[in-house]
Amino acid sequence: MTQSFETLQIHAGANPDPATGARQVPIYQTTAYVFRDAEHAAKLFNLEEVGYIYSRLTNPTVAALQERVAMLEGGAGAVACSSGHAAQIMALFPLMGPGRNIVASTRLYGGTITQFSQTIKRFGWSCTFVDFDDLDAVKAAIDDDTRAVFCESIANPGGYITDIRAIADVADAAGIPLIVDNTSATPYLCRPIEHGATLVVHSLTKYLTGNGTVTGGVVVDSGKFDWSASDKFPSLSAPEPAYHGLKFHEALGPMAFTFHGIAIGLRDLGMTLNPQAAHYTLMGIETLSLRMDKHVANARTVAEWLETHDAVEAVTYAGLPSSPYYHRVDTVCPKGAGALFTIALKGGYDACVKLVDSLELFSHVANLGDARSLVIHSASTTHRQLSPEQQEAAGAAPNVVRLSIGIEAAADIIADLSQALDKASA
Ligand SMILES: *Cc1c(COP(=O)(O)O)cnc(C)c1O
């Protein structure tokens, strides 16, 4: 990239408004856009000219956000959608069909494990979960019907960092794309495309917006995958029956996936991000680097303090030298291992519940990546639908509490944890 991340997070995708000169990206609160004439309308519907038709497909505020996230991730294009989970379906939709499968890491956000192990079956899709530290197992799990490999860069919540390059090489050798959920890291800490990922998905809900106001998601395409190299991806390489036989890859090259996401995905699945939410997220991204530096610094300070506490059995933060994944920080996320980690308490399940109930500065919520410090007992909430084995594998055992460290003063965060741990171990 020519400009630095700190400049792009403020300027990418945002030109002064052509109608008014407004410096900030306006909220284009409109459903539809007037066509110049009948020919203009026809060209827009034929994808011969790029423009706005209807806000289920495209909207100028949402488009500014898409361009900004694509540039920050080093991608060719992006499609915003209504949630992180919607982004996952939108990423898979052009690749999959009945009978097809994906191979995913066991270390994922709890909701993603449920989406992949249960809900996608309704589409005739399936998922095989594998330990992504075992490259031979990943290779062995890929079969002729596999259409994608899926992992998180920094996995939520267990303090696990994926060796993205190694997994990308396995996917590449099999001729299928690697999809990386980069929610916990953000493009400031990790840029999966530089490590060989084809697609990056985000929950905008978390650090990108950064203050717990929005539900949103985005799919970023690297533009580098050759969809026509095999007959595995007919939605992109063969005539698409849902778009009067257009061959997306042939017609649109590196923008094929992005245009398919809008022209078919948003058009027919309708998981659209609204312009108000896009505006909040654009505001959030302007300060992303500043916030992430503070999140990381606080997380490191708090994790170091917790590691020495008598009531604490273990701290799984990849930013601690004691973590088995510490050695991956320098290559995968050189600016830090994020601000999300778990602690295991010697007092087990009961102590965890007592801790959560005793914290005052921390909010007990099912969210992460907020400016505020947040806490949750994953086993009884976000990872409740999982089997004990799945909970263990995902780093959400019953004696474990997840912390999302905010950007308050580190001393105040530690003081709150200190008083609550005293109560939990009394
Ligand atoms: C929150 C989250 C999701 C789901 O995003 P929503 O916006 O809640 O749908 C997916 N992956 C990760 C890592 C998350 O933290």
Side-chain angles (χ1 to χ4, degrees):
M1 74 176 95
T2 50
Q3 286 177 321
S4 71
F5 191 97
E6 288 80 355
T7 304
L8 290 173
Q9 72 186 356
I10 296 168
H11 291 282
N15 299 312
D17 181 49
T20 61
R23 178 58 275 200
Q24 194 43 278
V25 179
I27 303 170
Y28 283 89
Q29 198 68 49
T30 184
T31 307
Y33 307 83
V34 178
F35 304 124
R36 284 196 304 272
D37 52 32
E39 193 195 337
H40 177 220
K43 280 188 169 166
L44 290 174
F45 276 90
N46 269 342
L47 296 182
E48 284 167 33
E49 188 175 326
V50 177
Y52 298 102
I53 298 174
Y54 185 68
S55 282
R56 172 157 33 81
L57 311 173
T58 47
N59 170 283
T61 315
V62 176
L65 172 65
Q66 289 171 162
E67 189 177 336
R68 185 167 302 175
V69 178
M71 287 188 78
L72 293 177
E73 286 286 2
V79 182
C81 39
S82 53
S83 70
H85 270 3
Q88 292 168 193
I89 296 297
M90 286 281 292
L92 292 175
F93 184 64
L95 314 177
M96 302 291 280
R100 308 303 186 200
N101 69 71
I102 59 174
V103 172
S105 171
T106 48
R107 300 173 181 96
L108 297 176
Y109 178 72
T112 305
I113 295 180
T114 307
Q115 188 186 55
F116 287 175
S117 62
Q118 305 297 333
T119 303
I120 63 171
K121 284 187 201 158
R122 308 287 183 92
F123 307 143
W125 310 349
S126 62
C127 176
T128 309
F129 294 95
V130 184
D131 175 357
F132 270 36
D133 278 343
D134 185 345
L135 294 179
D136 288 332
V138 178
K139 273 178 216 160
I142 296 173
D143 64 25
D144 288 346
D145 287 320
T146 306
R147 291 294 176 272
V149 175
F150 188 100
C151 64
E152 293 178 14
S153 46
I154 302 177
N156 172 353
Y160 173 81
I161 295 180
T162 305
D163 184 349
I164 300 173
R165 171 59 64 187
I167 299 293
D169 287 346
V170 172
D172 216 37
I176 53 177
L178 169 64
I179 307 173
V180 176
D181 181 340
N182 200 30
T183 299
S184 305
T186 81
Y188 181 65
L189 299 182
C190 174
R191 288 157 50 89
I193 291 170
E194 289 174 0
H195 301 275
T198 294
L199 300 165
V200 177
V201 294
H202 277 282
S203 168
L204 299 171
T205 317
K206 314 293 170 52
Y207 294 105
L208 290 181
T209 304
N211 41 35
T213 48
V214 159
T215 305
V218 69
V219 185
V220 182
D221 176 32
S222 64
K224 292 178 181 162
F225 195 87
D226 183 358
W227 305 110
S228 307
S230 73
D231 58 6
K232 287 186 171 168
F233 304 102
S235 289
L236 296 158
S237 64
E240 168 60 84
Y243 214 91
H244 49 72
L246 183 72
K247 291 184 182 175
F248 275 80
H249 193 214
E250 187 181 284
L252 297 153
M255 291 301 284
F257 193 94
T258 300
F259 272 83
H260 192 280
I262 292 166
I264 310 287
L266 290 182
R267 186 194 67 182
D268 296 345
L269 301 177
M271 301 166 167
T272 307
L273 187 72
N274 68 76
Q276 186 95 33
H279 175 78
Y280 283 128
T281 305
L282 282 163
M283 296 300 97
I285 292 174
E286 291 189 353
T287 57
L288 181 63
S289 66
L290 305 173
R291 288 185 289 107
M292 292 316 290
D293 279 337
K294 179 72 171 162
H295 277 295
V296 167
N298 277 355
R300 203 176 283 143
T301 305
V302 172
E304 280 167 6
W305 178 82
L306 282 166
E307 204 172 33
T308 64
H309 197 286
D310 281 346
V312 177
E313 188 176 293
V315 181
T316 58
Y317 181 52
L320 289 174
S322 59
S323 164
Y325 302 104
Y326 182 70
H327 67 284
R328 287 184 183 162
V329 173
D330 275 354
T331 39
V332 179
C333 46
K335 291 202 181 78
L340 192 68
F341 59 85
T342 60
I343 54 173
L345 295 188
K346 288 177 185 158
Y349 184 96
D350 293 343
C352 288
V353 171
K354 196 81 192 287
L355 175 77
V356 168
D357 283 344
S358 304
L359 285 164
E360 289 165 10
L361 181 64
F362 278 77
S363 305
H364 181 198
V365 297
N367 192 17
L368 58 96
D370 195 315
R372 282 145 272 278
S373 290
L374 311 176
V375 63
I376 197 157
H377 183 228
S378 302
S380 59
T381 55
T382 53
H383 288 61
R384 191 183 187 88
Q385 307 302 328
L386 275 51
S387 68
E389 296 73 31
Q390 285 177 318
Q391 287 179 347
E392 193 82 43
N399 65 331
V400 160
V401 168
R402 183 185 82 195
L403 303 177
S404 173
I405 303 299
I407 56 176
E408 304 98 335
D412 293 334
I413 299 173
I414 288 175
D416 192 35
L417 283 165
S418 181
Q419 63 81 20
L421 280 169
D422 286 349
K423 286 178 189 149
S425 51

